[in-house]
């Protein structure tokens, strides 16, 4: 039993490493992405400066915290596939062509295989496209980056949970290809929802009243808003930090569980169709 667990762990570690290497080969695309993230970060940063000059303390952030939100979110944009990308289009194409049957014959769980590969992709994007824009923002603006290593550790844990939430949502999109002929429409809708409800467009704390409370309990909030609030000290104290991470972990369990159910239904559909 123990040897089986070790072998499975080694398999998924190798898949994750393969996902990292796969995206590391696209040097030109990575450089273009770094440039795009940095330019877009400056555009959004100056927009935030104008907005926070008019509304100091908007959303509970001062201007330096708002600028930190801009640049750290830019560093997480590609890793979390907040505006598209990742693997769901590949799953949809493999379903359309029938190549998904090869995936189902592998001696590995389909969901765990794609999770490992996507975490490898995300790790590269976090390093390859995340560090340079953040460094550029830190040089050009006064950011509220914490000196406390404990808060950075909590932030990294929160980022990891957010990446799994992002995967789980996109995995559901990929599986919908078993029932839809074309996934482009739902992918576009999912991107719009992700940009708005993750906090990529504006921090979710900006939205007032019941609507603001509603969007902050959706799974998209776990992808960006919660990690940012952990970094900015909005969840200071052990109890508050545990609550924030528990919120993310709860969505991880729910979404992965739904993915298992949908995967089971999709597998039965393949058996019925393919014999």
């Amino acid at each position: 039993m123990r040897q089986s667990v070790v072998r499975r762990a080694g398999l998924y570690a190798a898949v994750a490493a393969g996902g990292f290497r796969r995206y590391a080969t696209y040097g030109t695309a990575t450089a273009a992405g770094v440039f795009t993230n940095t330019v877009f970060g400056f555009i959004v940063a100056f927009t935030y400066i104008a907005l926070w000059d008019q509304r100091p303390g908007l959303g509970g952030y001062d201007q330096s915290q708002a600028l930190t939100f801009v640049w750290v979110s830019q560093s997480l944009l590609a890793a979390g596939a907040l505006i598209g990308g990742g693997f769901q289009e590949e799953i949809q194409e493999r379903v359309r062509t029938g190549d998904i049957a090869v995936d189902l014959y592998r001696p590995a769980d389909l969901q765990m295989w794609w999770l490992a590969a996507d975490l490898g992709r995300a790790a590269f994007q976090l390093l390859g496209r995340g560090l340079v824009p953040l460094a550029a923002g830190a040089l050009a603006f006064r950011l509220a980056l914490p000196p406390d290593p404990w808060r950075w550790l909590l932030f990294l844990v929160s980022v990891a949970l957010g990446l799994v939430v992002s995967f789980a949502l996109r995995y559901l999109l990929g599986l919908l290809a078993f029932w839809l002929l074309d996934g482009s429409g739902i992918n576009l809708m999912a991107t719009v929802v992700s940009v708005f409800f993750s906090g990529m467009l504006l921090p979710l704390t900006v939205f007032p009243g019941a609507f603001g409370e509603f969007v902050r309990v959706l799974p998209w909030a776990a992808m960006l808003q919660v990690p940012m609030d952990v970094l900015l000290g909005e969840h200071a104290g052990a109890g508050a930090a545990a609550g924030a991470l528990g919120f993310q972990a709860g969505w991880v369990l729910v979404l992965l569980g739904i993915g298992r159910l949908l995967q089971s239904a999709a597998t039965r559909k393949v058996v019925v169709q393919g014999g």
Side-chain angles (χ1 to χ4, degrees), residues 176-247:
L176 288 178
F178 283 96
W179 291 270
L180 301 176
L181 295 177
D182 184 5
S184 57
I186 195 170
N187 289 341
L188 180 59
M189 291 173 57
T191 298
V192 173
V193 170
S194 175
V195 169
F196 187 82
F197 288 112
S198 68
M200 191 71 217
L201 186 64
L202 278 172
L204 299 182
T205 54
V206 168
F207 301 117
F211 180 72
E213 295 177 3
F214 172 70
V215 298
R216 288 193 291 274
V217 299
L218 296 177
W220 294 275
M223 294 163 56
L224 180 62
Q225 182 68 49
V226 173
M228 287 305 312
D229 281 342
V230 169
L231 181 67
L232 294 172
E234 300 300 317
H235 297 294
L245 299 181
F247 168 76

Side-chain angles (χ1 to χ4, degrees), residues 115-197:
L115 173 59
D118 194 60
L119 289 179
R121 175 205 62 81
F124 172 76
Q125 298 288 24
L126 195 60
L127 297 173
R129 289 183 57 174
L131 295 180
V132 173
L134 181 58
L139 290 173
F141 302 95
R142 185 172 65 87
L143 303 185
L145 297 174
D148 182 8
W150 172 246
R151 196 187 301 176
W152 279 105
L153 178 61
L154 288 176
F155 170 68
L156 292 176
V157 173
S158 184
V159 167
L161 289 170
L163 293 176
V164 179
V165 171
S166 173
F167 161 81
L169 286 169
R170 288 177 288 117
Y171 187 67
L172 295 178
L173 292 178
L175 291 179
L176 288 178
F178 283 96
W179 291 270
L180 301 176
L181 295 177
D182 184 5
S184 57
I186 195 170
N187 289 341
L188 180 59
M189 291 173 57
T191 298
V192 173
V193 170
S194 175
V195 169
F196 187 82
F197 288 112

